[in-house]
Amino acid sequence: MAPPASRLAAALLLAWLSLAELLVSSAHALPRPGDPHRPLILPLSKAPRDSSSSSSSRERDHHRRRLLGSELPRSPSARMRLYDDLLSNGYYTTRLAIGTPPQEFALIVDTGSTVTYVPCSNCQRCGKHQDPRFQPQLSSTYQPVKCNAHCSCDAARKQCTYQRRYAEMSSSTGMLGNDLVSFGNESELTPQRAVFGCEIVETGDLFSQRADGIMGLGRGYLSIVNQLVEKHVIDNSFSLCYGGMGMGGGAMILGSIVPPTGMVFSHSDPHRSPYYNIELKEIHVAGEPLKLTPSIFDGRHGTVLDSGTTFAYLPAKAFLAFRDAVTENVRSLRKIPGPDPKFQDVCFAGAGWDISRLSEVFPKVDMVFGDKQKLSLSPENYLFKHTKVPGAYCLGIFQNENDETTLLGGILVRNMLVTYDREKNKLGFWKTNCSELWKRLQDTGSPTPAPLVPQKHNNTSAISPSIAPSGLTPNSFPVEFRVGIITFNMSFSIKSSSGKPNFTEFEELIAHELGVSTSQVHLLKFTSSGNQFLVELAIFPADSADYFSNTTAMSIITRLRDHHVQLPERFGSYQLVEWKIEPQKKRTWWQRNYLAVAAVASVALLLTLTSIALWFVWKNNWQQSGVYKPVGVVIPEQELPPL
């Protein structure tokens, strides 16, 4: 449950988005070449994180843009990754390039926005983001969108403008331009001209976020999807696949795909609202339907799917019924306060560390659509990790106060391929391993079904001691292979000119990001040129171990490989140059037993010194007590000293 003010912000979002949609319409007639439809596959990538706490993600939820969103594509496709993690960063990003030569940007993937925009070089008020601002003067293909009857114009009535306001009153204002948009080096689709926004002013979270801008995937003339469809280069469909709990990453597919076997569909009515809605009729917990009427999910804007919202929000009555049903099914767990006292989170302790076994503790949840199709949700689709209590989890579904809309955010579709089939007005859902989807696309060109837990391979071949970051690591190591050291090189640019960064703090940050102890992280060397630094670090096994367990090694390597290491903004942008793993080195008898030998030698030395000291004391006492005078010897008379 969240504060009423936050819920009011959610209620206001739809009004703001609807008003903004009326203010801006298509400002440029897009050509319609007769190219065959070709889907565009974009990997979803995880953006540098602003905060690791789930409560901050929820605050971004209340104060961010909210909409009110077994086989490969049938045609050649362009592929790009999704970066970042929904709960850690509050959003997913993908990389797009604009202009000639291309200028690259990290853009938040948002099905609730209808404009794609980036900061402009002449921006009057823009925050510090991940990449340099767009410089129109450096692009030979850039064209301003001239003022016309179909757009709002600037004061001089020379160029079209746009404006977007969001629930928390953050906003983006700028000029509309037209340029070539590129979708990555692996794209089989040539760069396409598209209208986009060049920001002049941004406020609120748009100003403070690390991502450069927004990639609008909503229903609207300026949506990047609409523009590509109008140009007949993709079919009227796209898909998103978000990584699971603690994993991040994923893929985005612009264009149609053949629905995998078992994909569950729901009708989406484009005339009801400009948002991607579904027909939700019932929610079941542990096989039992909640005692609710179907109309409760049909209030105001109905049930809306929004990729830009982190959590899910139900009308009050539905939320209370869901909360009570889940609580009733986890009586063996202990209820505890949430990680942030500002929110009345519903949290449970004692579930354990193993995410793959949460379904043994928490109940299965089913969503039933209008045509009786049932979508089954695992615990990762409605829980988030407690950030302060290990092995504890909290409900990621909250009460939508002061609004009868049912809003389903990204948490509900983790490890789920979601197809937005705009041509047939339906949304499809297919449970899969989204973190592995990109690998399957690369290996086979087809999102073949994959288990949510990576399969183990009976691979007995030797593993190369050096694996390039562009290579894909195996899901598991051969049993006989033991990882002794993990080293990697990282380049970054600090934003201050105060000299070299605090490397002790840097090691602590890396340790936190990789989930290891600070004592395991060692800075081997670094070089610098101005504010640019290249560092080499090594991750060693814990003090009590000679090598990493396969689980720990894979966790570290996955975080490095998928760029899950997120540094504070003061370190600027970073790049993982290379990394490698080294097998456990066989130690000599001396290396294995030097501590025991040192301990025995220390004890022996201490005993020897103690014995010598005791001998000297005994000898001195014996000499003093053994000096006697013979009987009858004259003793010289001694005078008394004067008083």
Side-chain angles (χ1 to χ4, degrees):
M1 297 172 62
S6 301
R7 303 306 180 211
L8 180 58
L12 291 175
L13 165 64
L14 300 177
W16 279 115
L17 288 178
S18 299
L19 176 61
E21 203 61 53
L22 292 175
L23 291 176
V24 182
S25 61
S26 175
H28 191 76
L30 298 175
R32 300 170 178 263
D35 296 348
H37 293 190
R38 288 186 289 181
L40 178 64
I41 302 180
L42 303 172
L44 287 178
S45 41
K46 181 175 182 178
R49 103 165 129 206
D50 299 327
S51 170
S52 60
S53 71
S54 56
S55 61
S56 62
S57 295
R58 185 164 346 130
E59 289 185 276
R60 284 192 295 270
D61 251 13
H62 299 321
H63 306 296
R64 262 196 76 236
R65 50 218 140 266
R66 286 211 199 149
L67 17 152
L68 269 191
S70 84
E71 305 183 15
L72 244 206
R74 295 179 296 234
S75 319
S77 60
R79 304 170 185 176
M80 295 172 59
R81 298 178 185 271
L82 282 180
Y83 303 98
D84 305 305
D85 177 79
L86 196 66
L87 296 185
S88 299
N89 305 91
Y91 49 71
Y92 281 87
T93 62
T94 192
R95 303 290 294 183
L96 286 183
I98 303 175
T100 308
Q103 302 176 45
E104 195 168 288
F105 302 95
L107 302 183
I108 296 173
V109 175
D110 194 351
T111 59
S113 294
T114 56
V115 180
T116 296
Y117 51 82
V118 297
C120 217
S121 58
N122 62 340
C123 184
Q124 301 168 7
R125 189 181 188 278
C126 287
K128 295 181 180 179
H129 300 296
Q130 185 170 337
D131 297 287
R133 299 174 182 177
F134 177 69
Q135 301 186 60
Q137 68 276 14
L138 297 184
S139 174
S140 61
T141 50
Y142 174 80
Q143 298 173 356
V145 177
K146 296 181 180 179
C147 180
N148 59 69
H150 303 289
C151 72
S152 300
C153 300
D154 59 4
R157 302 198 61 79
K158 291 184 178 181
Q159 189 171 353
C160 288
T161 63
Y162 79 94
Q163 184 177 42
R164 287 294 182 270
R165 293 185 181 275
Y166 300 101
E168 84 295 0
M169 304 307 293
S170 69
S171 65
S172 173
T173 305
M175 316 299 288
L176 290 178
N178 187 303
D179 209 336
L180 288 176
V181 176
S182 305
F183 301 94
N185 296 330
E186 297 174 274
S187 174
E188 297 178 7
L189 182 67
T190 58
Q192 301 292 321
R193 277 201 167 273
V195 176
F196 67 99
C198 203
E199 285 185 306
I200 302 300
V201 175
E202 56 186 19
T203 64
D205 289 342
L206 294 176
F207 180 88
S208 59
Q209 71 188 16
R210 182 164 171 75
D212 299 311
I214 299 293
M215 180 179 181
L217 301 173
R219 290 184 172 123
Y221 293 111
L222 293 179
S223 165
I224 192 70
V225 178
N226 282 62
Q227 295 189 55
L228 293 175
V229 170
E230 287 293 315
K231 293 171 73 68
H232 295 284
V233 294
I234 66 168
D235 292 324
N236 196 7
S237 176
F238 69 94
S239 301
L240 295 174
C241 201
Y242 288 171
M245 182 182 290
M247 294 299 294
M252 176 171 66
I253 304 168
L254 297 185
S256 63
I257 63 171
V258 177
T261 303
M263 178 169 270
V264 178
F265 289 94
S266 172
H267 176 69
S268 181
D269 185 1
H271 303 293
R272 171 164 188 173
S273 73
Y275 316 112
Y276 296 107
N277 51 63
I278 59 176
E279 292 183 345
L280 178 61
K281 298 298 182 182
E282 299 177 10
I283 294 179
H284 297 181
V285 176
E288 295 294 326
L290 301 182
K291 296 180 179 180
L292 302 167
T293 59
S295 60
I296 195 169
F297 303 112
D298 201 34
R300 198 173 181 186
H301 295 279
T303 299
V304 174
L305 192 62
D306 178 10
S307 71
T309 296
T310 306
F311 298 101
Y313 300 86
L314 302 178
K317 187 175 180 181
F319 166 73
L320 295 175
F322 176 79
R323 180 200 63 187
D324 293 344
V326 173
T327 303
E328 179 70 19
N329 280 274
V330 291
R331 289 184 175 180
S332 61
L333 303 182
R334 179 168 50 91
K335 244 183 139 175
I336 61 172
D340 192 332
K342 293 186 296 184
F343 299 100
Q344 299 178 10
D345 291 324
V346 180
C347 302
F348 307 94
W353 289 79
D354 193 346
I355 297 174
S356 65
R357 304 188 66 178
L358 288 181
S359 57
E360 300 175 10
V361 182
F362 290 94
K364 183 180 71 170
V365 174
D366 297 312
M367 298 174 63
V368 182
F369 299 139
D371 53 4
K372 300 301 181 181
Q373 291 201 57
K374 184 183 294 185
L375 174 64
S376 295
L377 306 177
S378 60
E380 72 172 344
N381 296 122
Y382 63 86
L383 297 174
F384 65 90
K385 287 182 179 180
H386 198 296
T387 56
K388 296 181 179 178
V389 180
Y393 301 85
C394 306
L395 290 184
I397 297 180
F398 304 95
Q399 179 177 332
N400 200 354
E401 299 178 4
N402 304 319
D403 195 334
E404 295 304 312
T405 298
T406 298
L407 185 59
L408 306 181
I411 190 174
L412 211 76
V413 291
R414 287 197 291 194
N415 269 338
M416 194 176 296
L417 177 66
V418 182
T419 294
Y420 297 75
D421 191 338
R422 296 154 36 116
E423 181 70 28
K424 298 179 181 178
N425 293 326
K426 62 181 182 179
L427 270 62
F429 303 86
W430 182 59
K431 197 71 174 158
T432 185
N433 190 325
C434 290
S435 298
E436 295 295 322
L437 178 64
W438 176 248
K439 179 180 183 297
R440 298 199 302 278
L441 289 173
Q442 284 185 316
D443 292 346
T444 66
S446 174
T448 51
L452 296 185
V453 179
Q455 294 174 318
K456 295 181 180 179
H457 302 285
N458 290 325
N459 180 9
T460 58
S461 59
I463 296 180
S464 170
S466 178
I467 302 177
S470 58
L472 291 169
T473 57
N475 290 331
S476 61
F477 295 111
V479 175
E480 69 274 10
F481 186 85
R482 292 177 174 177
V483 178
I485 304 175
I486 301 173
T487 61
F488 60 94
N489 292 341
M490 178 184 292
S491 65
F492 61 88
S493 174
I494 60 175
K495 294 192 173 184
S496 65
S497 57
S498 57
K500 68 179 182 180
N502 185 335
F503 284 115
T504 300
E505 178 194 20
F506 185 76
E507 291 177 340
E508 293 174 353
L509 291 170
I510 293 296
H512 179 268
E513 291 297 311
L514 298 181
V516 299
S517 170
T518 305
S519 61
Q520 294 177 245
V521 181
H522 297 271
L523 177 67
L524 301 182
K525 63 181 179 180
F526 76 90
T527 57
S528 63
S529 176
N531 287 351
Q532 290 290 134
F533 286 83
L534 177 64
V535 298
E536 181 179 358
L537 298 110
I539 312 298
F540 291 89
D543 293 338
S544 58
D546 295 332
Y547 57 91
F548 292 99
S549 68
N550 282 1
T551 302
T552 301
M554 280 306 306
S555 174
I556 295 173
I557 292 170
T558 299
R559 289 174 179 270
L560 290 172
R561 179 195 65 187
D562 294 342
H563 303 282
H564 288 184
V565 175
Q566 308 298 336
L567 300 176
E569 189 173 345
R570 61 181 175 277
F571 287 98
S573 59
Y574 81 88
Q575 181 180 3
L576 189 64
V577 180
E578 65 176 355
W579 56 270
K580 63 181 180 180
I581 56 176
E582 297 179 8
Q584 177 193 12
K585 295 181 179 179
K586 293 184 178 180
R587 298 188 299 173
T588 63
W589 182 91
W590 171 254
Q591 289 175 320
R592 293 195 305 270
N593 301 283
Y594 76 94
L595 288 177
V597 172
V600 171
S602 299
V603 172
L605 178 61
L606 180 62
L607 291 175
T608 301
L609 293 176
T610 302
S611 300
I612 293 174
L614 291 174
W615 182 80
F616 274 109
V617 170
W618 173 81
K619 181 178 180 181
N620 184 59
N621 291 339
W622 180 82
Q623 288 177 341
Q624 290 181 359
S625 59
V627 178
Y628 298 99
K629 300 292 182 179
V631 177
V633 173
V634 178
I635 299 176
E637 185 177 350
Q638 297 179 355
E639 294 184 358
L640 294 175
L643 295 177

